[in-house]
């Protein structure tokens, strides 16, 4: 859409991609790392009742028939006017990460960076079937990824110099993407924590908080620092989602390795 971007103190970032490419996990991790506000448009539509019902075949929400934007590929019906009106003030303020599987109805002026996540078709198929996707809903989303529909949509809707496509096949990809995006938006790097300390771990957050809030010259609490998790923001978000889905057991060795925990695969209890 037309309209120039305004200079903001804090950027607005759009994270888009086919369902199952890791948008929500990436957006949550990036929000935690940068302290930007995360907005999941799908959740917003449900919370604000910006729809008129539910379609069983495609599993999507209906909205005002006079304002429908029917996205056949993603299986969702959107009301651009209602959604954009709801978000306008927040987007003008800046400092937002918007998470949605479509991008062509947002005003171009809203975003400073547009991220399109892409996933290997086999990996995506497995993710979507685990979510319960079947029939047209499953096949349409896989075809969308094969033909890179979202990337083309982003390039047609925004200036190409703010659009980037990132691979999102595994936990390491998400971790690397969050680091890349944090650098891309110009978020302060390791200088805000101790020398050589990853600024996006809980330990990094604790040290920044201590530096900002504690004005005396007392030493930092080594006991608390030692207890802080070594997981990065993106790793924490990914593993938390696995716990919520009751599938942590499939990634337990990787979790223990990244969390610096011992793992005994042959140990039998009881």
């Amino acid at each position: 859409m037309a309209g120039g971007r305004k200079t903001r103190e804090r950027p607005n970032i759009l994270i888009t991609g086919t369902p199952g490419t890791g948008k929500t996990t990436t957006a949550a991790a990036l929000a935690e790392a940068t302290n930007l506000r995360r907005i999941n448009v799908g959740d917003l539509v449900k919370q604000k009742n910006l729809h008129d019902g539910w379609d069983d075949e495609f599993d999507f929400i209906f909205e005002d028939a006079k304002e429908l934007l029917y996205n056949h590929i993603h299986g969702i019906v959107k009301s651009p006017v209602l959604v954009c009106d709801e978000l306008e003030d927040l987007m003008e303020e800046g400092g937002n990460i918007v998470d949605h599987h479509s991008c062509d109805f947002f005003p171009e002026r809203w975003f400073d960076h547009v991220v399109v996540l892409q996933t290997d078709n086999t990996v995506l198929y497995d993710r979507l079937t685990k979510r319960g996707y079947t029939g047209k809903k499953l096949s349409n989303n896989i075809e969308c990824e094969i033909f890179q529909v979202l990337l083309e949509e982003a390039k047609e809707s925004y200036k190409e110099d703010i659009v980037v496509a990132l691979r999102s096949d595994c936990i390491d990809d998400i971790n690397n993407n969050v680091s890349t995006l944090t650098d891309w938006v110009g978020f302060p790097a390791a200088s805000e924590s101790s020398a050589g300390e990853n600024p996006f771990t809980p330990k990094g957050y604790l040290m920044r908080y201590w530096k900002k809030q504690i004005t005396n010259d007392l030493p930092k609490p080594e006991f608390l620092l030692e207890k802080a998790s070594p997981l990065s923001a993106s790793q924490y978000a990914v593993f938390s989602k696995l716990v919520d889905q009751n599938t942590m057991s499939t990634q337990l060795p990787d979790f223990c390795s990244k969390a610096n925990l011992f793992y005994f695969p042959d140990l039998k209890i009881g």
Side-chain angles (χ1 to χ4, degrees):
M1 289 188 178
R5 281 172 283 145
K6 294 183 178 181
T7 301
R8 284 175 281 266
E9 291 186 6
R10 309 197 78 192
N12 288 327
I13 304 168
L14 173 61
I15 298 181
T16 187
T18 306
T21 53
K23 297 182 299 299
T24 300
T25 302
T26 300
L30 184 61
E32 186 175 347
T34 60
N35 201 30
L36 298 179
R37 179 191 299 111
R38 183 170 73 92
I39 301 171
N40 182 295
V41 174
D43 291 344
L44 179 71
V45 168
K46 295 178 182 179
Q47 292 167 2
K48 299 294 184 177
N49 200 33
L50 305 176
H51 59 84
D52 292 326
W54 191 268
D55 181 276
D56 291 328
E57 180 181 6
F58 280 100
D59 191 22
F60 59 69
I61 291 172
F62 281 110
E63 296 166 7
D64 190 339
K66 294 182 179 180
E67 299 176 339
L68 290 181
L69 176 61
Y70 190 109
N71 191 321
H72 292 275
I73 296 297
H74 308 110
I76 192 140
V77 179
K78 279 282 158 238
S79 175
V81 174
L82 293 178
V83 173
C84 292
D85 284 351
E86 185 70 32
L87 292 176
E88 181 65 41
D89 290 343
L90 288 177
M91 300 308 293
E92 286 296 318
E93 178 183 337
N96 302 290
I97 299 171
V98 176
D99 159 16
H100 192 45
H101 56 227
S102 185
C103 65
D104 60 354
F105 66 84
F106 297 120
E108 188 271 346
R109 59 184 164 79
W110 275 6
F111 297 106
D112 305 284
H113 308 284
V114 177
V115 181
V116 182
L117 298 180
Q118 297 181 317
T119 299
D120 177 82
N121 297 325
T122 301
V123 176
L124 184 63
Y125 183 90
D126 291 341
R127 290 178 183 175
L128 294 180
T129 53
K130 288 179 180 178
R131 290 187 182 186
Y133 281 36
T134 59
K136 292 181 180 179
K137 186 178 181 183
L138 175 60
S139 61
N140 283 349
N141 280 289
I142 295 298
E143 290 174 7
C144 173
E145 189 68 6
I146 291 173
F147 294 109
Q148 299 188 359
V149 172
L150 266 299
L151 181 58
E152 292 305 314
E153 183 179 292
K155 290 181 177 179
E156 291 174 0
S157 303
Y158 305 93
K159 295 181 180 180
E160 287 201 30
D161 63 339
I162 72 167
V163 177
V164 64
L166 296 176
R167 179 60 56 183
S168 183
D169 290 338
C170 60
I171 293 174
D172 286 340
D173 285 343
I174 294 175
N175 191 38
N176 291 334
N177 290 342
V178 170
S179 296
T180 297
L181 294 173
T182 303
D183 292 339
W184 195 29
V185 302
F187 191 74
S191 59
E192 288 206 8
S193 54
S194 65
E197 182 67 47
N198 184 341
F200 309 120
T201 61
K203 183 175 181 179
Y205 291 132
L206 177 58
M207 296 186 73
R208 287 200 302 276
Y209 177 87
W210 187 270
K211 180 178 179 181
K212 181 178 179 180
Q213 300 294 334
I214 308 301
T215 57
N216 57 39
D217 295 326
L218 293 176
K220 296 180 178 64
E222 292 299 327
F223 174 78
L224 291 179
L225 295 177
E226 290 174 359
K227 298 300 180 182
S229 170
L231 297 177
S232 67
S234 55
Q235 289 168 345
Y236 176 82
V238 170
F239 289 126
S240 294
K241 189 171 184 179
L242 290 175
V243 171
D244 291 340
Q245 296 173 341
N246 199 29
T247 56
M248 173 62 91
S249 59
T250 64
Q251 298 292 331
L252 193 56
D254 190 39
F255 168 75
C256 290
S257 175
K258 289 181 169 60
N260 295 334
L261 298 174
F262 287 113
Y263 174 63
F264 302 98
D266 298 324
L267 182 62
K268 295 182 179 180
I269 301 176

